[in-house]
Amino acid sequence: LAKTTQPISMDSYEGQEVNITCSHNNIATNDYITWYQQFPSQGPRFIIQGYKTKVTNEVASLFIPADRKSSTLSLPRVSLSDTAVYYCLVNTNAGKSTFGDGTTLTVKP
Amino acid sequence: DVKVTQSSRYLVKRTGEKVFLECVQDMDHENMFWYRQDPGLGLRLIYFSYDVKMKEKGDIPEGYSVSREKKERFSLILESASTNQTSMYLCASSSIIQGVRLNTEAFFGQGTRLTVV
C-alpha cells in the first residue's frame, strides 16, 4: 500500500489560500488520491478526489503533477470554520484505504 | 443524504466482555469499513468488507472480528475486550466504480467512543 506523508500542522489566517501537500512516492497506477476533513468528535468528511492534473469542486482544488508522487489540496479563502484535520488518502484498487497521520490546520482571525 | 449509523455514541464495557459495535448504511454501498482512532495515531483500518459475508483484514485486526450477514450492516466484535481497545471506533461505507473494488467517496458514521474498564 502506498504510504502518505503530510505536514503535521499548519497555521493560516482568515481569507488566505491554504495549500497542503501530501507525498505518496509509491502510488500505483490505478490509485486515486482522496482528501478528507475531520472536525473533533466527528467522522471524516470527503472533500475531493482525483487521479491526475487538476480537479476542482465548490470547496477545494486538488493538484496532481504528472508523476503523481505528490498532491496538493488547495483551500481558497479559508475561514475559522476550516480549522480541522485534513487527511490525504491513496486508494488502492483492492478497495482498501489507509489514512495517514493528517495535517492539523488552524485558521486564526 | 447518505446515512451511516452507529448503534451507540458512547459505550462503557468491562475487561473480558464480548462487545458488539453495529453499523448500518442506507445507500446500498458495497464496501464497509471499521477504523479506530486514537490521539496521535490517526485513523487505522481494522477490517473491511466489499460484499456480504466477505471480509479482509486491515492494518490492526488483532483482537477484533467482523460480521457482514446483510449488505447494509457491518458489525465489529471484540471477543474479549481489553483496556487497550479503549478508543473511538468509526464505521464507513462507500460504493465501487464499474465493478472495480475502488473506493469512491466514503461516508462515515459519527463514531462510537468505547471505554473498557
Side-chain angles (χ1 to χ4, degrees), chain A residues 59-102:
Chain A
V59 298
S61 295
L62 178 60
F63 299 91
I64 305 167
D67 67 6
R68 303 199 329 119
K69 293 184 184 299
S70 66
S71 58
T72 299
L73 174 73
S74 180
L75 304 171
R77 298 180 298 280
V78 293
S79 63
L80 296 177
S81 62
D82 292 317
T83 292
V85 179
Y86 292 83
Y87 292 96
C88 163
L89 226 71
V90 173
N91 301 72
T92 72
N93 60 8
K96 181 174 170 178
S97 298
T98 298
F99 282 73
D101 295 331

Side-chain angles (χ1 to χ4, degrees), chain A residues 1 30-32 34 36 38 41-46 49 87 89 91-101, chain B residues 9 31 33 35 37 40-43 45 48 57-59 88 90 100-106 108-110 113:
Chain A
L1 288 176
N30 293 332
D31 286 344
Y32 279 69
T34 311
Y36 288 84
Q38 186 179 27
S41 300
Q42 294 186 24
R45 185 177 68 175
F46 173 88
Q49 183 179 68
Y87 292 96
L89 226 71
N91 301 72
T92 72
N93 60 8
K96 181 174 170 178
S97 298
T98 298
F99 282 73
D101 295 331
Chain B
R9 192 85 169 91
N31 299 330
F33 309 85
Y35 292 88
Q37 185 169 30
L41 294 176
L43 278 85
L45 182 64
F48 76 104
K57 294 180 180 179
D59 299 318
M88 170 70 86
L90 289 157
V100 177
R101 287 187 286 125
L102 170 68
N103 286 343
T104 59
E105 172 183 357
F108 282 80
Q110 285 292 91
R113 188 165 291 282

Side-chain angles (χ1 to χ4, degrees), chain A residues 1-13:
Chain A
L1 288 176
K3 182 176 168 53
T4 60
T5 304
Q6 307 173 232
I8 293 174
S9 63
M10 294 181 68
D11 289 343
S12 183
Y13 291 92

Side-chain angles (χ1 to χ4, degrees), chain A residues 43-60:
Chain A
R45 185 177 68 175
F46 173 88
I47 302 174
I48 197 165
Q49 183 179 68
Y51 183 79
K52 61 181 179 181
T53 62
K54 178 183 175 182
V55 179
T56 297
N57 62 21
E58 63 275 8
V59 298

Side-chain angles (χ1 to χ4, degrees), chain B:
Chain B
D1 268 2
V2 173
K3 188 177 270 187
V4 178
T5 304
Q6 295 183 228
S7 54
S8 303
R9 192 85 169 91
Y10 299 95
L11 212 51
V12 180
K13 295 292 182 180
R14 295 193 181 279
T15 300
E17 273 194 77
K18 189 169 186 176
V19 180
F20 292 87
L21 301 183
E22 306 286 347
C23 176
V24 177
Q25 52 97 0
D26 66 359
M27 280 302 291
D28 202 36
H29 283 168
E30 292 81 5
N31 299 330
M32 295 189 75
F33 309 85
W34 275 105
Y35 292 88
R36 66 176 282 178
Q37 185 169 30
D38 301 288
L41 294 176
L43 278 85
R44 293 180 291 168
L45 182 64
I46 306 172
Y47 268 97
F48 76 104
S49 169
Y50 54 88
D51 202 352
V52 175
K53 297 190 185 295
M54 305 301 288
K55 61 184 179 184
E56 289 196 28
K57 294 180 180 179
D59 299 318
I60 51 164
E62 296 77 21
Y64 303 95
S65 63
V66 290
S67 173
R68 193 163 181 204
E69 297 296 319
K70 294 184 178 181
K71 190 174 185 180
E72 67 271 18
R73 187 179 297 268
F74 193 36
S75 303
L76 180 69
I77 304 156
L78 287 66
E79 294 291 341
S80 178
S82 64
T83 54
N84 63 14
Q85 292 178 310
T86 291
S87 186
M88 170 70 86
Y89 289 87
L90 289 157
C91 175
S93 72
S94 70
S95 59
I96 59 175
I97 298 175
Q98 297 174 345
V100 177
R101 287 187 286 125
L102 170 68
N103 286 343
T104 59
E105 172 183 357
F107 293 86
F108 282 80
Q110 285 292 91
T112 296
R113 188 165 291 282
L114 173 67
T115 303
V116 183
V117 299

